[in-house]
């Protein structure tokens, strides 16, 4: 493999000639791009093979991260950087007159996820490899990733995401690891063999595509295994083959574009079982290539379930052990409950996954039968543990009211249940899941989320990384806690002004992007106040835009009232069927239209909606932020991770005490963030005494009345019906997410930002303190916590 620029150039030109029969100069840009990707993959593949061998030889325990979503983004730059070959490639290409950035732009995002949960899985894979831990990711190879969002006339329009258009150079199809997954049919008792058999099943072939996960500054390269559905050799007799083919293709065709609500569709359940069964099959076979049997399975494998979507791992592993390898129930249960660990991601009641028993029974008859038995035994256990408390029993039953409660199954079948931020875990233990915490003392634990500081700081913000190198060296890349060395520069006026300069450059970049994509001219000296995340009522983008409306109305009314110039930037995809969320997008765009074109106010106030928010766009947006909007209703955002990305890039958090914001505020101190709004206890109290009345806020605060009235008086739409849904949500449905209750406090928090920003020198200090304290939020720290408390892995011995 190439070690120098000259070797790189030789190899690059040789491959172009061999593959396309042309010289570098004559080749098309997509050809150059694909050759570069292939070179990087091949560069990684030696380490990849060595890692697999080393793990086997040393009989090491591995973690298997099962997740329906991996929001990977682009891999080319990340992999070159992690391999330490970026500069060689960049300079080699430059010698050929090729700008590496132009090649980078040709890569599609691997958008196999919706948002935070999928991006967490991606950050974890990066940290696991970079810390040299042996790890496998399992997911679905969706033909179409998360939909592409277009904004037409202010409305969201969804377009299929054809991420495989140019092929996917990173994946390797592995037919030797394929297997068949069984659906439908029924279960019969075989008296001769004394066991249950699943007969008349419909088979679906599962074929894995492996993607190397390249660690930074290590030879360890792990695997992300993507499962694709294909027709099996044995096709069902009773079905037209075209219908069968169609149904098979459907399984891995599209990612469900839902976030925090379970999609109640048979196809989704099929997807879940499909990748769970295929993944487990491959793990079991790999285990048996190294060890004589499955008795030591739990010593060598730990399976982390990312939310309830892969929880069928629990009954499926039971099925394999009992049906295929003749284990007794108790022995099998012992293995399963020492192998599986579950991460809870939400306390939103509507997001707790449940499946109709009838559907489960029909699609997965043997799995359902096993769940029934797990349920029966669990009930027996709880009865004893609870001294026959009937009500408690009803609250924890896995099967209840014709449904399978997946979170309950997950808790019963796992040795660890973790929340994703301290506050979230507290709420789980003390409220939402306190029954389970009592039944299984010690099972619940916290693992505060993190993000990879390589992608989200070092690679996406090279200007800031250079400044950090200059000030504190580069040990923070290996040891993110070393960012704290920056604290002593927080008062250094040279570092402060250099920081402001970096921020200015990144704001210029984003301003250029906005000019190009939105046609809006924004003031680089204005405060870039940014809220980018999935669109959801609880995240309260509506509160943000209502505040913008308030500012606009007040400036129009009172010529003496002027704010420090602000650019409010939004980015968010709404689930296609989430009507309210789509209306909020339309409202943001409608407000932008009015505000941006009003000469009275537009030197003070601009609103920008950036379309198609995703990982790559996030890497451009986040480094340009002055203010990070994290304004969810307290108790609703389990952790949040964009709050951490903003912090690392020197933005000040404007947030509620929710999710990981609590821990961010704790670390940076009150003087380096702006916290507002009700706390979880305040909201619980309002709920408990039923004392929240949205109309009281409307009637008693003229600012609120004016803003709310503007939704239906034609200010932002020609039709008064356009935003009626939003009006109703606030007023007729009593404002479920307490926007009006937090409005005044939010206005004051925004005013405080204005004041703080005017003192540029102190502002720089605040930002520097945020960067300095962000090391804790590296997913390297999160992974070390999982390893120490849950996974108990050893590093790969790689020489
Ligand atoms: C980090 C990230 C998220 C999660 O954002 P939150 O604000 O924590 O909800 C969602 N989407 C993308 C593309 C991300 O990079």
């Amino acid at each position: 493999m190439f070690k120098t620029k000259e070797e790189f150039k030789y190899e690059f030109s040789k491959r172009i000639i061999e593959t396309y029969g042309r010289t570098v100069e004559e080749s098309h840009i997509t050809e150059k791009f694909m050759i570069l990707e292939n070179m990087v993959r091949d560069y990684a593949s030696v380490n990849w093979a060595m890692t697999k061998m080393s793990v086997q030889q040393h009989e090491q325990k591995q973690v298997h991260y099962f997740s329906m979503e991996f929001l990977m983004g682009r891999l080319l730059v990340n992999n070159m950087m992690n391999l330490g070959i970026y500069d060689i490639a960049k300079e080699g290409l430059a010698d050929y007159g090729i700008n590496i950035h132009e090649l980078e732009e040709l890569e599609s995002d691997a958008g196999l996820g919706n948002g935070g949960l999928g991006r967490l899985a991606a950050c974890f894979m990066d940290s696991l490899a970079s810390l040299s831990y042996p790890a496998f990711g399992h997911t679905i190879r969706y033909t179409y990733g998360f939909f592409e969002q277009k904004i037409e006339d202010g409305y969201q329009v969804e377009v299929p995401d054809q991420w495989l258009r140019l092929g996917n150079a990173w994946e390797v199809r592995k037919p030797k690891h394929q297997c068949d997954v069984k659906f439908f049919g029924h279960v019969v008792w075989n008296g001769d063999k004394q066991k249950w058999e699943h007969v008349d099943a419909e088979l679906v072939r599962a074929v894995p595509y492996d993607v190397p996960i390249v660690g930074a500054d290590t030879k360890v390269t792990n695997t992300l295994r993507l499962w694709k559905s294909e027709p099996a050799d044995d096709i069902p007799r009773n079905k037209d083959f075209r219908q069968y083919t169609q149904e098979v293709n459907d399984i891995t065709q599209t990612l469900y574009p839902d976030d925090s609500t379970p999609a109640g569709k048979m196809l989704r359940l099929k997807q879940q079982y499909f990748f769970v069964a295929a993944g487990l099959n491959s793990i079991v076979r790999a285990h048996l290539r190294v060890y004589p049997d499955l008795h030591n399975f739990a010593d060598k494998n730990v399976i982390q379930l990312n939310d309830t979507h892969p929880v069928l791992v629990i009954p499926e592993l039971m099925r394999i052990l009992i049906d295929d390898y003749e284990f007794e129930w108790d022995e099998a249960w012992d293995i399963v409950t020492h192998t599986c660990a579950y991460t809870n991601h939400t306390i939103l009641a509507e997001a707790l996954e449940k499946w109709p028993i009838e559907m489960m029974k029909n699609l997965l008859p043997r799995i359902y039968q096993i769940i029934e038995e797990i349920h029966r035994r669990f009930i027996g256990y709880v009865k004893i543990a609870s001294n026959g408390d009937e009500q408690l029993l009803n609250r924890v039953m896995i099967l209840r009211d014709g449904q399978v409660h997946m979170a309950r199954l997950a808790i019963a079948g796992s040795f660890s249940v973790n929340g994703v931020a301290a506050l979230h875990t507290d709420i789980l233990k003390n409220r939402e899941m306190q029954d389970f915490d009592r039944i299984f003392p010690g099972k619940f634990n916290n693992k505060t989320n993190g993000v990879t500081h390589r992608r989200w700081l070092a690679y996406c913000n090279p200007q800031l990384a250079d400044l950090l190198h200059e000030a504190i060296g580069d040990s923070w890349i290996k040891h993110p806690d070393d960012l704290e060395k920056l604290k002593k520069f927080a008062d250094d006026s040279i570092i402060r002004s250099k920081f402001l300069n970096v921020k200015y450059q990144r704001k210029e970049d984003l301003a250029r992007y906005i000019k190009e994509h939105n046609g809006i001219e924004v003031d680089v000296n204005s405060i870039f106040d940014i809220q980018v995340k999935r669109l959801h009522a609880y995240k309260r983008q509506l509160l943000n835009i209502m505040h913008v409306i308030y500012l606009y109305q007040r400036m129009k009314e009172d010529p003496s009232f002027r704010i420090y110039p602000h650019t409010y930037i939004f980015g968010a995809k709404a689930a296609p069927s989430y009507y309210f969320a789509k209306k909020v997008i339309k409202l943001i765009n409608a407000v932008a239209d009015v505000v941006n074109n009003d000469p009275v106010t537009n030197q003070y106030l601009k609103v920008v909606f950036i379309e198609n928010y995703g990982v790559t766009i996030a890497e451009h947006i986040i480094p340009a932020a002055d203010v990070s909007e994290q304004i969810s209703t307290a108790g609703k955002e389990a952790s949040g991770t964009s709050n951490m990305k903003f912090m690392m890039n020197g933005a000040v958090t404007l947030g509620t005490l929710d999710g990981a914001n609590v821990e961010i505020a704790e670390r940076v101190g009150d003087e380096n963030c702006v916290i507002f709004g009700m706390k979880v206890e305040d909201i619980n109290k309002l709920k408990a005494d039923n004392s929240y009345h949205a109309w009281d806020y409307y009637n008693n605060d003229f600012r609120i009345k004016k803003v709310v009235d503007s939704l239906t008086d034609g200010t932002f739409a020609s039709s008064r019906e356009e935003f009626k849904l939003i009006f109703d949500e606030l007023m007729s449905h009593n404002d479920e997410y307490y926007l009006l209750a937090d409005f005044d406090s939010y206005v004051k928090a925004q005013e405080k930002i204005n004041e703080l920003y005017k003192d540029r020198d102190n502002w720089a200090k605040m930002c520097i303190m945020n960067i300095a304290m962000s090391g804790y939020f590296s997913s390297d720290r999160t992974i070390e916590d999982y390893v120490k408390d849950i996974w108990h892995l050893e590093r790969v011995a790689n020489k």
Side-chain angles (χ1 to χ4, degrees), residues 629-659:
E629 292 265 0
Q630 308 297 337
I631 61 175
S632 52
T633 313
K636 296 291 182 187
E637 186 77 89
S639 160
T641 48
S642 77
N643 44 4
M644 303 167 186
K645 301 168 193 163
F646 280 105
M647 178 192 191
M648 271 177 196
N649 284 278
V652 171
T653 302
L654 167 52
T656 48
L657 281 179
D658 198 17

Side-chain angles (χ1 to χ4, degrees), residues 447-504:
K447 296 289 168 282
T448 298
N449 281 168
V451 300
T452 167
H453 62 289
R454 286 167 291 276
R455 180 181 290 262
W456 294 109
L457 170 51
Y459 307 160
C460 77
N461 199 345
Q463 299 88 342
L464 182 55
D466 284 348
L467 174 58
L468 294 174
H469 290 167
E470 189 188 319
I472 60 170
D474 56 10
S475 67
W476 58 273
I477 297 192
K478 248 329 202 212
H479 307 287
D481 278 339
D482 284 356
L483 285 167
E484 271 197 56
K485 290 181 189 166
L486 200 61
K487 266 168 91 170
K488 68 169 190 282
F489 292 95
D491 292 314
D492 182 321
S493 60
I494 296 178
I495 296 297
R496 285 182 183 181
S497 81
K498 285 187 172 173
F499 168 78
L500 291 176
N501 189 39
V502 165
K503 187 58 81 180
Y504 190 85

